[in-house]
Amino acid sequence: SPDCMQQIGLFLLIFSAIAIGWWMGHYRRDEDEEEDGTQSSNYFQGLNYLLNDQPDAAIDAFVESLEVNSDTLETHLAVGNLLRKRGEVDRAIRVHQNLLARPGLPEKHRNQVQLELARDYIGLGVLDRAERILVQLTEDSEELNPEVLKHLLEIYQDEKEWDQAVDIAQRLLPRKNWLRASASPEQVLSALAHFFCELAEQSWRDKDYHQARKHIRKALSQHKRCVRASLMLAQLELETSQPTKALKAAKDIPEQDAR
């Protein structure tokens, strides 16, 4: 069946990826022969699990047999990513937690694994755990900051936490960050303007018209072509009996977007 063929393909891909990684670690390792024998035993035990259609046990055995170093870390991460993309997030989490439990894992590698674990939790919808990991990573890894900030921004948008979203978007604005986060400054500024509009709507609902105006003007200062902000300002001025100001705000819209 198609599902069966997909499973076979997954097993073979995992097997091949870890086999290559295990061989690289084995080839470069200078430990004694007894440890090598244990690693080999674990590896072939994993192969036996795989052939007997026990994928969970196979993955555990393969990962345990694979030394974690600069050569093999990418293999571990590739297995976790593959599982996550196939919706098998619990197994991806187990792979990444197994890595974090390894003693002596260099900080750079640990930070990368933590990022993958945060992505697992996002995939599982456990956003509070993902957020805690990502917030800690903003302090621990400047190198990963753009990717970390991008994920935090997605979380705060989903959770409608607009103040935090504004803060993260502003931190993404420096060139080194938006380039590495695969975003353009125009995209970041447009998102930032909409976050201010969301804050304006909250203030508006609370009848705090002064604060609502401030948020709208901040939106326009970040992105002058934000039609949403101009429409909101016109409506707000009408509601507060300021038709002349409302007309002025509305007249800006054709220049922002002729459509």
Side-chain angles (χ1 to χ4, degrees):
S1 68
D3 288 343
C4 182
M5 291 301 295
Q6 287 181 355
Q7 286 297 324
I8 292 172
L10 171 63
F11 296 161
L12 290 176
L13 185 55
I14 291 174
F15 171 71
S16 300
I18 301 184
I20 294 169
W22 176 85
W23 179 83
M24 291 172 64
H26 178 85
Y27 180 77
R28 294 175 63 91
R29 193 169 53 237
D30 293 325
E31 273 77 13
D32 57 47
E33 293 180 1
E34 181 179 352
E35 181 178 349
D36 287 346
T38 301
Q39 298 287 337
S40 298
S41 174
N42 288 338
Y43 179 79
F44 287 107
Q45 184 179 27
L47 177 58
N48 183 58
Y49 286 136
L50 186 63
L51 294 174
N52 285 284
D53 196 23
Q54 296 177 265
D56 287 338
I59 289 171
D60 287 342
F62 283 148
V63 171
E64 287 172 9
S65 73
L66 184 58
E67 180 187 359
V68 179
N69 56 40
S70 58
D71 292 319
T72 63
L73 180 70
E74 290 302 320
T75 302
H76 284 278
L77 298 181
V79 172
N81 290 343
L82 178 63
L83 292 169
R84 184 173 65 237
K85 288 177 180 177
R86 290 184 56 84
E88 300 175 72
V89 183
D90 288 336
R91 288 163 68 186
I93 288 174
R94 196 164 72 245
V95 169
H96 294 134
Q97 288 178 335
N98 179 289
L99 283 171
L100 292 173
R102 297 290 180 94
L105 188 66
E107 183 179 3
K108 180 180 178 179
H109 293 171
R110 180 171 296 276
N111 290 338
Q112 182 63 52
V113 177
Q114 290 278 20
L115 177 57
E116 295 302 330
L117 184 60
R119 288 170 172 156
D120 294 337
Y121 285 130
I122 291 172
L124 205 59
V126 187
L127 300 184
D128 56 338
R129 290 190 184 182
E131 180 188 356
R132 284 198 294 272
I133 294 172
L134 293 168
V135 168
Q136 186 61 49
L137 280 174
T138 61
E139 301 175 7
D140 295 344
S141 177
E142 183 178 349
E143 181 181 356
L144 294 176
N145 242 11
E147 294 178 74
V148 170
L149 293 175
K150 184 179 178 181
H151 287 304
L152 276 173
L153 189 61
E154 293 168 353
I155 289 174
Y156 292 139
Q157 284 183 266
D158 288 344
E159 296 290 287
K160 302 185 186 305
E161 297 179 8
W162 305 118
D163 283 313
Q164 290 94 324
V166 165
D167 175 60
I168 297 299
Q170 288 175 331
R171 291 167 67 179
L172 267 174
L173 280 174
R175 182 179 177 83
K176 65 178 182 179
N177 283 341
W178 60 256
L179 276 176
R180 290 173 55 196
S182 300
S184 71
E186 182 79 7
Q187 290 172 322
V188 178
L189 289 170
S190 176
L192 189 52
H194 283 287
F195 300 153
F196 279 121
C197 287
E198 293 288 347
L199 289 170
E201 287 191 357
Q202 290 178 356
S203 298
W204 195 340
R205 286 194 294 269
D206 294 336
K207 306 297 183 183
D208 188 347
Y209 300 122
H210 175 70
Q211 189 62 40
R213 283 190 183 89
K214 286 181 64 175
H215 287 313
I216 292 171
R217 297 198 184 284
K218 284 182 180 179
L220 289 168
S221 72
Q222 296 295 332
H223 195 243
K224 294 180 180 180
R225 298 178 62 82
C226 183
V227 174
R228 179 186 180 188
S230 294
L231 279 170
M232 288 181 65
L233 184 58
Q235 291 165 344
L236 180 60
E237 300 297 8
L238 279 175
E239 187 170 314
T240 56
S241 303
Q242 300 288 337
T244 303
K245 291 181 179 180
L247 183 61
K248 182 178 183 301
K251 282 183 175 179
D252 289 339
I253 294 173
E255 296 181 9
Q256 293 173 316
D257 191 332
R259 292 171 298 175

